Amino acid sequence: MIHLHDIRYVRLGTPDLAGSVRYATEVLGLEVARTEGKSVYMRSDSRDHTLCYFEGDPRDHTAAFEVDTQEELDHALATLSESGYQARRGTADEAEQRYVGDFINLKDPSGNSIDLVYAPHHSGRRYFPSRDAGITGFSHIGLRTLDAQRDELFWTNLLGAKVSDRIGPAPLLRIDEVHHKIALFPSTYPGVQHINHQVESIDDVMRAYYILKERNIPIRFGPGRHPTSGAMFLYFEGPDGMVYEYSTGVRLITEEDELTYRPRNFPFVPESFCMWGARPDIPEFKA
């Protein structure tokens, strides 16, 4: 089985690079790490970068996860290829563009582009947000799935993820103690469905709510609280229709918890997404 250490970054194509970067800094609160050609790398914690916007097709999304050793990366490539999945080793130039020592790229069964990376760079300087959003780090993504049950088996049987909970057919998957780092939501096409950053407190969630309202940024869901992870949240619209989320207070499932923990199954109804009564304006969260 392949062991994933942590989520690493998301790469997003955009036809309006300047506008997307302006949103990421002025609204989302990320720091520009560097600009190289038609790509801009942004930080939200101690990692070299957690989001890269590049000039290109807005449907071109890649999410990256880290493995611990070169041997694990080689094993992942062999395992995926033997299992019939599209997987290839990245070139030296591509690895340099991603600021990693080595990587492989694969397509999950729904066609989502996934990088598995080894030796990703960290930053030697403190993250300095462009807006005081209270961000403590990049935490998880939602991925679109064309077949949730099939893709759940791919992530759990091959990539070592564990199901924390399900909302209808949608599994919330963990790869460490955090309740989920990946969530698979049924859709008719692949791609990153939302991008989550953790913030320090509920005060940051509520400050963001009013700032976003003042800027006329569409609020897609919340403020609210997930009954699954316990996190308090706010979802809002970004460039090219991407949905971003701030959340705080996510549940941890410790080694001790693992001894008795069993995934819970929630019906696919609004109350399973928010225990406070907020209603989502997000297609994948609606029945």
Side-chain angles (χ1 to χ4, degrees):
M1 187 179 294
I2 300 162
H3 171 67
L4 303 181
H5 174 70
D6 200 1
I7 193 168
R8 197 68 203 184
Y9 57 72
V10 174
R11 294 173 58 86
L12 301 176
T14 179
D16 181 7
L17 185 59
S20 295
V21 171
R22 186 165 55 251
Y23 177 94
T25 53
E26 295 179 5
V27 177
L28 196 55
L30 305 189
E31 177 188 9
V32 174
R34 71 186 64 82
T35 299
E36 293 184 357
K38 297 180 179 181
S39 298
V40 181
Y41 299 79
M42 282 163 284
R43 304 176 62 227
S44 56
D45 50 38
S46 64
R47 287 169 270 205
D48 176 85
H49 69 281
T50 52
L51 175 63
C52 176
Y53 268 117
F54 61 92
E55 191 172 289
D57 188 339
R59 297 168 297 181
D60 188 350
H61 302 168
T62 297
F65 296 84
E66 181 183 355
V67 299
D68 286 328
T69 66
Q70 182 69 59
E71 290 73 21
E72 285 190 29
L73 188 67
D74 296 340
H75 167 70
L77 179 59
T79 299
L80 289 161
S81 298
E82 290 168 4
S83 300
Y85 292 99
Q86 299 178 38
R88 66 171 184 88
R89 189 176 299 276
T91 67
D93 285 346
E94 289 173 325
E96 186 174 335
Q97 290 168 4
R98 286 159 173 76
Y99 289 85
V100 300
D102 196 6
F103 81 101
I104 64 174
N105 178 264
L106 61 114
K107 293 291 181 69
D108 78 359
S110 286
N112 290 303
S113 176
I114 307 295
D115 285 350
L116 301 185
V117 306
Y118 166 63
H121 291 193
H122 282 75
S123 177
R125 58 187 175 85
R126 182 176 174 178
Y127 160 57
F128 189 79
S130 50
R131 181 179 79 77
D132 184 15
I135 291 174
T136 58
F138 171 44
S139 182
H140 74 254
I141 57 168
L143 281 179
R144 292 184 172 89
T145 172
L146 307 185
D147 184 328
Q149 185 175 22
R150 176 199 62 193
D151 289 2
E152 177 185 313
L153 292 174
F154 170 81
W155 284 93
T156 55
N157 290 351
L158 273 180
L159 298 182
K162 297 179 180 178
V163 177
S164 293
D165 291 309
R166 297 182 187 87
I167 304 176
L172 309 179
L173 305 170
R174 68 186 184 275
I175 56 176
D176 55 19
E177 287 189 340
V178 177
H179 181 273
H180 61 280
K181 289 292 179 76
I182 310 134
L184 303 178
F185 294 107
S187 182
T188 57
Y189 59 97
V192 175
Q193 184 264 346
H194 78 268
I195 297 172
N196 171 276
H197 290 87
Q198 292 293 297
V199 294
E200 190 172 359
S201 73
I202 185 60
D203 294 331
D204 297 304
V205 172
M206 294 309 302
R207 273 191 288 265
Y209 174 76
Y210 289 107
I211 290 171
L212 293 167
K213 294 283 281 187
E214 286 176 3
R215 289 174 173 258
N216 293 316
I217 304 295
I219 304 296
R220 293 305 182 200
F221 191 19
R225 185 165 194 166
H226 292 306
T228 50
S229 68
M232 293 164 282
F233 65 80
L234 180 67
Y235 294 78
F236 48 98
E237 187 173 315
D240 308 310
M242 180 57 65
V243 173
Y244 286 95
E245 178 193 12
Y246 291 148
S247 67
T248 187
V250 66
R251 178 180 183 178
L252 302 181
I253 298 173
T254 66
E255 286 188 18
E256 183 177 354
D257 294 332
E258 289 277 7
L259 299 175
T260 56
Y261 189 84
R262 296 293 180 272
R264 297 167 296 173
N265 294 285
F266 292 78
F268 203 90
V269 295
E271 292 79 10
S272 298
F273 287 92
C274 180
M275 60 196 299
W276 290 351
R279 293 294 187 264
D281 185 19
I282 298 173
E284 293 80 15
F285 291 2
K286 297 179 180 180

